[in-house]
Structure formats: structure tokens, C-alpha cells
Amino acid sequence: MDGVYTGFGAAHAQPAATGLTHARLGYTNDMRPRILPAGPVPADPDRDAAISPQPAALAILIIDDSEDDALILLRQFHRAGYAASYRRVQCADEMRAALVEQKWDAVLADHHMPRFSAQAALALMHELAIDLPFVIVSGAIDEETAVNAMRAGAHDYLNKNKLDRLVPAVEREVREARMRTERRAALDAVRENEARFRALAANIPGMVFQLLRTPERTLRFLFVSDGCVALLGDPPESLLADASAFLAQILSDDRTSLEAGLRASEERLALLNWEGRIRLADGTLKWINVRSSPRRVNGGSLLWEGIISNITQSKEAEAALRASRLELAELSSHLQVVKEEERERIAHDIHDELGSTLVAIKFAAALLAGKLPATMPQLVERARELERLSDDAIATASHVARELRPGILKEFGLPAALECHAEDFAQRTGIECHMQHIDYDIDCDDTTAVALFRVFQEALTNIAKHAGASRVEVRLNGHPDELSLEILDNGRGVSSSDFAKPRSFGVRGMRERVHHLGGRFLVEPRPEGGTRLSLSVPVAQQAIP
């Protein structure tokens, strides 16, 4: 039989001012109803207005062959302020159907009935894996039978003639059942999260780990993923048993840096990001990256949680790239040397061969002009014109030879060569070129002098072509261990997009020359307008006697 007991109780029907002489309904901190001690309730208008008129609901499954006994039980919950719904069953089939069709808060069972018993009801609940408060309420039950029922899974037992403990007992068991349900849900969530974590860790390339440093300064793995087999060649059990197996694989040259990284990470609680080499038992050498975050745990220990990755392939690619760049730098340097040698040879040929020929032509033209009779003025003028053309050709050849290989660079050094080229540049372009600060008391090797002179040439050429400048300032300074060159103009300036142009070989060539010498190179816009080119190269300098 199903129903909701709605008899006329006094717990919510009478005004509080009249006082209550029976048990009354209260609430625990988690808002569960509980029975307060009997006694009068003082009047409190604010409290009475705040009390919800809706009583707490409670669904009770009653196993009893007497409808009157079931109503007596329900009356106890109504008096305590509950709106208790119930269903009475008398056999296993009825109980099974009730448990499957509806959710219940508690089960109240008579001990022995003609067609059913409390022990059989408990067995059925265990069969269905249902955890509900099970209270035996019987008119006659001996102590031994009650103890056996408690061992079988009953939570409490009461005598039908003494029901004053019924509501508190059910409240207690309902509360504990809910706690058990929440605990099981929390454990299920933990197990699910752990399974999800292990699945993720197993599929992450590398080894996920937890590394503990104890107050005694010993290291111990608390967790390692299955990736340690592919990464280190060791099963998780061996690393969990002894962390030194991992440390022993690290090369001695790199172990010191790892220990220093762990100390720094511990002191600042900062991210550990370390790269080093390990050697496996079969002699294989690998590069690994250890990346983890530390946190303090109980007892003064420190726990790192992170991942160890195999970066051998990227390191090998990085090494191959460095080797390729080194080869390219060496090739570029070789090409520069060959180019300078070729320039020197061409300049030598122009100066010695072509220059001598032009001088001979000039002398021949002068001699011819002197031999011609005055009666042939046109021929004399042609001879003089030929002499002038020879002078122009000699000047052009001299200029080209200086551009290819300025003799002043070898004879008088870099400062004089820069000053001479600046004068030629100013005469040729009309752009003022001021040598503001030139340190003449410096000297450098041939390679450095040629490289800086070519950079200076290229910089002035770029200014003439692209800057639209009217003034250039040059500074050359010698320091104890380096040589610095600075070129400034007042032109339109430079932007980052200028360096991204596919055919901007001028700046790239200058940068390559400086980097090959192990120096620093910078091109940037000036705040007041124009461009600043600065470079510095290491050089062993000697004062000119």
C-alpha cells in the first residue's frame, strides 16, 4: 500500500506562543532535519515568519503485514515534522518491484512475517546492491536475533512498543547513508580521474613523473609513466624502487648542471627546464629535456611534477644546422678572400698595365702636339684634346683601382682609408661626410681592416641610393679589446620591412662580414630621423709607432 500520511499533528499547526510539549523539528548545519529536545518553544515572530511552511519530505519503504502498524510508524515521522510518503510490502516480489521502481530514503522492516522476514529483505537488498538505511521494528525480538540481524547488514533495531528512538535513528542512518553515497561517488571520481590521468600519461611522448626530495635530501620517484621504458630502457618499478638508476644514466658533465637546476628550482619554487645527455645500458646516447614545476608538501619535502622528453632528434637537427651554418660561413669567408684577391689582381693590372699605357698615350699626345706646326691649328687642338682625354682616363683608372683595392689601406691603415673614401664619396655625390671622431692610433690585422672598409663602402653606397640624406657622420673608436664603427645619416630612416625585402643583399652582406669576425652589427632608425649603423669587432690592437 502506498500513501502520504497527513494526520493533524501539532508540530506545525499550532502557534509557537502556545508552547509544544512533544518532540519538535530542528535542522542540522547541513540543513538536515533533526529532533530537538521536548519542551515549550518561546515565541519569536521573525523566526516563525522565516520557517518554511513545507515540511521535509521522506520516502519510506515499510515491510510489514499490518497496515495499522505501518500507520503508527508514519505517525512518528509526521509528529517530527516530516511529509512522509510510504509504500508497504509483504513479500520479496513486492519489495523487489518497489526497490526497482522508486528511490527510497529508508527501509523499516518487521522481523518476522508469514510470507517474509527481515533477513530475507536484507539478502534481497544485497542481491540488488542497494545501500539504504535498514531498521528492524518488531514487537518481539530477542537480543541474539537482533545481533544476528545487525551482522547481516541491519543498521538498527527497535521495539514497536518503544518508538521514541525511531525518528532519530532513521535520521542518523539516512545521514550516514548519504555520506556513504557521497564517499563512494568521490572514490569513483578519484578512480576515474586516475584512470584518465594514466591513459593520458601513457600516450604522452616521454615520461611523466613525480619526483620527491625528502628533508634528508634524497630523491625518490613517486610516479613514473610507462614511457620510461622507451625513453630510459627501464621499467617503472625499477625507477620507483631506486631513483639513482636514472641519475646514473646522466653523463657526469651534465649531472652537475641538473643538480644546480634542482637547487635553483627549490630555492625559488621556479620552473625547472633542463637539457642534458643520458647514456643507456646498451651505449645509446640520448638528449633529454626535464621540465617540471615544484611545490611544497607536508613534512618539508619538495615535489616536482612534470615530463621528461626525448629531444635527441631536435638536438641532432640543431647540430646539423649549426654545422651547415658554419660551412656556409666558411664558404662565405673563402669567397670574400677570393674576391679580395681578385680585386687586388684587377687593381694591380689597372694600375700597372692600363695606367702605364694611358700615361704613355698622354706623353705621346703631348709630344705630338709639340711637333705639329703652328700652321695646322686644328691638328694641334686634336692632339691637346687627346691629351686631356688621357688625363681623364688616368683619373678614372686610378679611382677604379682605389675602389677595388685602396693602396692607402695597406700603406697607412684603416683610419686613413676611411677618410680618403669619405672625401671621394662627398665629391662624387655632393653629400657632406664628416669624420667626427677618428682614432688614428689604432691598427688591426688585414682581414679586419678589409672587412670594415667594405662595410663602410657598402653603407655609403646604400645612403647614396636609398636614404635621401644630405649629411653623414662617421665615428671610429679603438678600445682595449674591440674596434667600433658608427655611421649616422639624416635621411628617411629604415624600417623592419626594408630588411625583409628579398634582394636586400647589402645589409645581409655587411652583417655576414661582421658576424664572421665574431662582432656585433646593428641597423636602427634614429629618434631624430635618419639611420644609425653601428658595429664592433674584437681585435688585438697595436699603437702605430
Side-chain angles (χ1 to χ4, degrees), residues 252-265:
S252 57
D253 294 342
D254 298 339
R255 196 177 306 147
T256 303
S257 64
L258 174 60
E259 294 172 352
L262 289 172
R263 285 195 301 270
S265 176

Side-chain angles (χ1 to χ4, degrees), residues 291-541:
R291 188 177 182 89
S292 63
S293 300
R295 61 185 176 91
R296 298 285 181 190
V297 293
N298 294 335
S301 300
L302 191 75
L303 182 67
W304 283 276
E305 297 169 311
I307 182 171
I308 302 177
S309 306
N310 184 359
I311 58 171
T312 304
Q313 187 174 2
S314 62
K315 281 293 184 180
E316 290 176 349
E318 183 181 339
L321 180 60
R322 282 198 303 268
S324 176
R325 286 181 175 175
L326 180 59
E327 291 178 359
L328 288 175
E330 292 175 350
L331 177 60
S332 175
S333 175
H334 175 69
L335 291 177
Q336 293 295 341
V337 171
V338 171
K339 186 190 297 183
E340 291 299 332
E341 291 176 352
E342 186 66 15
R343 283 178 170 179
E344 186 173 5
R345 186 188 64 79
I346 295 174
H348 183 272
D349 291 344
I350 290 175
H351 181 271
D352 292 351
E353 302 296 333
L354 182 58
S356 299
T357 302
L358 291 174
V359 170
I361 292 174
K362 175 183 177 181
F363 288 159
L367 181 60
L368 178 61
K371 295 292 186 180
L372 289 174
T375 56
M376 303 174 68
Q378 292 182 346
L379 292 177
V380 173
E381 181 59 29
R382 287 295 179 90
R384 299 297 182 191
E385 184 179 354
L386 183 60
E387 186 179 353
R388 289 192 297 272
L389 290 174
S390 299
D391 287 336
D392 293 341
I394 292 172
T396 301
S398 177
H399 171 71
V400 171
R402 287 198 309 272
E403 289 288 328
L404 290 172
R405 179 70 174 183
I408 192 173
L409 181 62
K410 181 176 291 188
E411 296 176 9
F412 297 100
L414 180 63
L418 296 184
E419 190 169 21
C420 180
H421 186 74
E423 292 176 1
D424 288 347
F425 172 79
Q427 292 176 2
R428 187 173 67 255
T429 62
I431 300 175
E432 299 178 14
C433 192
H434 298 273
M435 309 299 286
Q436 281 198 338
H437 187 281
I438 301 296
D439 191 349
Y440 289 96
D441 294 331
I442 59 174
D443 192 15
C444 56
D445 60 274
D446 243 7
T447 301
T448 304
V450 171
L452 266 61
F453 181 78
R454 295 305 180 195
V455 170
F456 184 69
Q457 275 185 313
E458 184 65 32
L460 293 186
T461 301
N462 285 346
I463 291 173
K465 287 182 178 180
H466 309 295
S470 60
R471 179 183 175 87
V472 178
E473 299 174 2
V474 182
R475 302 186 182 100
L476 178 67
N477 295 301
H479 304 284
D481 55 354
E482 68 177 12
L483 184 65
S484 64
L485 175 64
E486 189 175 29
I487 306 170
L488 307 98
D489 68 68
N490 63 348
R492 63 174 57 93
V494 68
S495 64
S496 58
S497 61
D498 295 331
F499 302 129
K501 293 178 180 178
R503 301 188 64 83
S504 59
F505 297 116
V507 175
R508 296 179 190 174
M510 290 188 284
R511 182 182 290 110
E512 284 298 323
R513 285 182 182 272
V514 175
H515 285 177
H516 179 69
L517 297 174
R520 300 183 300 274
F521 180 85
L522 178 64
V523 179
E524 59 184 351
R526 300 173 64 189
E528 62 272 24
T531 304
R532 174 179 176 267
L533 182 151
S534 62
L535 63 91
S536 60
V537 294
V539 60
Q541 310 212 3

Side-chain angles (χ1 to χ4, degrees), residues 99-222:
L99 291 174
V100 171
E101 295 171 2
Q102 184 179 344
K103 291 184 178 181
W104 302 97
D105 294 311
V107 178
L108 305 180
D110 194 0
H111 169 58
H112 186 72
M113 295 165 287
R115 301 169 55 191
F116 207 27
S117 69
Q119 287 86 346
L122 283 170
L124 180 58
M125 287 181 58
H126 292 162
E127 176 188 341
L128 298 177
I130 294 176
D131 182 14
L132 285 175
F134 193 97
V135 179
I136 297 176
V137 184
S138 178
I141 181 172
D142 59 84
E143 185 175 350
E144 182 179 357
T145 302
V147 170
N148 291 334
M150 295 288 287
R151 290 174 177 172
H155 296 97
D156 205 344
Y157 66 92
L158 302 171
N159 193 303
K160 286 185 178 180
N161 299 321
K162 298 179 181 180
L163 296 178
D164 54 330
R165 278 200 321 112
L166 175 62
V167 174
V170 170
E171 288 178 337
R172 181 191 68 245
E173 297 304 330
V174 167
R175 183 167 57 252
E176 292 184 359
R178 288 172 179 169
M179 292 175 62
R180 290 194 300 272
T181 301
E182 293 172 356
R183 188 180 302 110
R184 283 194 299 269
L187 291 175
D188 290 341
V190 169
R191 283 192 289 267
E192 182 180 355
N193 289 336
E194 183 176 357
R196 186 183 299 114
F197 168 75
R198 290 186 178 275
L200 290 173
N203 289 280
I204 290 177
M207 184 184 88
V208 180
F209 71 93
Q210 287 182 315
L211 181 64
L212 182 73
R213 170 166 275 172
T214 64
E216 293 77 22
R217 312 305 295 170
T218 59
L219 292 174
R220 181 163 58 92
F221 281 110
L222 300 184

